Amino acid sequence: MVATLFPLDLGSIMHHLWLMLLPFLGLVSVAPAEKGLEFPRYDGKDRVLDINDRNYRKAMNKYSMLCLLYHEPIPDSKELQKKHQMTEMVLELVAQVLEEKDIGFGMVDAKKDAKVAKKLGLDEVDSVYVFKEDRVIEFDGLLSANTMTEFLLDLLEDPVEVLDNALELKAFNRMDEEIRLVGFFKNQESEHFEAFKEAAEQFQPYIKFFATFEKTVAKQLTLKMNEVDFYEPFMEEPVTIPEKPHSEEELVAFITKHRRPTLRKLRAEDMFETWEDDIEGIHIVAFAEEEDPDGFEFLEILKEVARDNTHLPDLSIVWIDPDDFSLLIPYWEKTFKVDLFRPQIGVVNVTDADSVWMAMDDEEDLPTAQELEDWIEDVLSGKVNTEDDDEEDDDDDDDDDDDDDDDDDEDDDDDDDDDDDDDDDSDEDEDDDDDDDDDDDDE
Ligand SMILES: *[C@@H]1O[C@H](CO)[C@@H](O)[C@H](O)[C@H]1NC(C)=O
């Protein structure tokens, strides 16, 4: 029961995939008279390979990149099979859209193809692995056609982007949500640039690497020859990596050590990885819509507090812009019992999704930086935690099936276990039924 309550549970994400796919599968029929905005729809052609002992080597050699979904054994239940097909559809659509890009796609069954999986080093079921040259990149993000496509396109690009002029530098300076590195090197042939590039490949596409060979650009970045700066998201000043020039190993070690920022934005392309990187079982989560005036103001305060406290090693706040995860909004509102139209900050226990949220007394008044800092201090010291209220009121526990006599009266003879499920599941079942109608036409 532990992992299933995790708010970003893959199962529920998979379920939502169905909704995301609707437009692609052509169930929404809008026939545009004009050309230029024709949204791709799955054409029905099989492009995703069923990877097995006999064909995996050939597939590896044939494409410049091979993208494999390592999945649970195909279940007997018809419903679960549909769920599996939906996942395969996502891959099929991505394969179709990227047909010209020399990327292979395949499915590896955790039971049937256990031998291949072992050979390839696949270990996390329901993950996607991308094989590119001698590297394996695990995709730990939202399995939607959009996110996958963007991820793969990013992987096709050069691991290091070169900044040639002031305009490109301006664009670089605006990317303050990203972890970025920038180095100044003599030229493309420099051995230090080569080491930088090798390091970049190991973090592509999650961490962005930039380089310049121009003195004027380097001067604006205050970079000396062979120097590399590390930019933490939302911080004003970068950190210069000490002791230049750097070998690939030194760069990798530094990045690995400093990778977890004080404030990070949840991104579809690595949301599960971020969520799994909890700090002693909890996350400090801030919900704020950047497009909303209150959300924007709250974010500014949050950034200020993050900058003032970036020295605290145990502080890492996950900022979620609800606009980026519309399908999860109702789920989060229900699970966390918060209004996501307002900015919120709270502590979430990743084991049971239990949470406490900072009281923002006056509807109109956002906390000051000082108030927010005090609250964060209370979280770090354990004074604010998700456990204290547990004894006083048991309302949070969805598992309790007492006091509700009415329910039992109207229920039919379904087995008792079902009653223990929380509301989420029954909602999902309803949705599934709707889906079934549409699905049957396809079969
Ligand atoms: C999170 O919840 C689990 C299960 O209820 C509990 O055992 C654990 O102590 C909690 N962790 C924290 C840090 O509160």
Side-chain angles (χ1 to χ4, degrees), residues 14 18 25 32 37 53 67 73 77 153 171 182 206 212 218 235 261 292 349 356 358 366 382 395 423 436:
M14 294 292 187
W18 172 240
L25 292 178
L37 267 188
D53 225 7
C67 178
S77 125
L153 287 175
V182 62
Y206 295 117
T212 192
M235 295 297 141
D292 167 76
N349 179 328
V356 281
M358 184 181 184
L366 295 171
D395 287 353
D423 304 326
D436 288 352

Side-chain angles (χ1 to χ4, degrees), residues 187-322:
N187 53 35
Q188 296 266 6
E189 286 72 45
S190 148
E191 56 173 313
H192 307 304
F193 175 64
E194 198 53 44
F196 186 72
K197 219 163 67 179
E198 298 278 333
E201 278 178 2
Q202 303 204 29
F203 297 98
Q204 193 187 9
Y206 295 117
I207 295 180
K208 312 283 180 219
F209 282 65
F210 297 84
T212 192
F213 309 114
E214 304 296 329
K215 270 205 195 91
T216 50
V217 176
K219 199 170 161 212
Q220 277 176 287
L221 288 163
T222 67
L223 281 175
K224 299 194 182 73
M225 182 61 72
N226 295 326
E227 204 164 68
V228 176
D229 276 0
F230 178 89
Y231 285 73
E232 186 182 329
F234 309 111
M235 295 297 141
E236 253 140 24
E237 296 298 326
V239 177
T240 299
I241 304 184
E243 291 170 44
K244 67 179 174 85
H246 314 285
S247 66
E248 176 192 348
E249 292 73 26
E250 284 162 358
L251 288 167
V252 171
F254 184 92
I255 297 162
T256 309
K257 185 160 169 232
H258 294 86
R259 189 172 186 173
R260 182 197 284 156
T262 309
L263 179 60
R264 48 184 161 176
K265 187 177 185 186
L266 194 71
R267 311 185 288 187
E269 71 257 35
D270 56 1
M271 59 194 289
F272 298 112
E273 189 175 295
T274 302
W275 201 256
E276 277 165 27
D277 183 31
D278 55 75
I279 296 156
E280 293 178 24
I282 61 157
H283 273 302
I284 298 180
V285 175
F287 284 104
E289 236 179 286
E290 201 171 15
E291 302 263 293
D292 167 76
D294 278 345
F296 182 83
E297 195 184 326
F298 182 70
L299 260 178
E300 289 303 302
I301 300 168
L302 194 62
K303 287 178 199 171
E304 187 185 329
V305 172
R307 283 175 196 136
D308 288 346
N309 292 280
T310 189
H311 56 279
L312 298 176
D314 286 340
L315 179 60
S316 186
I317 303 165
V318 179
W319 162 36
I320 301 177
D321 189 330

Side-chain angles (χ1 to χ4, degrees), residues 91 279 378 411:
L91 234 56
I279 296 156
D378 288 345
D411 258 7

Side-chain angles (χ1 to χ4, degrees), residues 280 282 349 351-352 386-387:
E280 293 178 24
I282 61 157
N349 179 328
T351 311
D352 57 8
T386 57
E387 305 303 291

Side-chain angles (χ1 to χ4, degrees), residues 142-161:
L142 180 64
L143 209 51
S144 79
N146 276 316
T147 310
M148 281 286 308
T149 303
E150 190 183 339
F151 178 84
L152 292 168
L153 287 175
D154 280 350
L155 265 182
L156 288 175
E157 290 192 17
D158 282 338
V160 178
E161 202 170 322

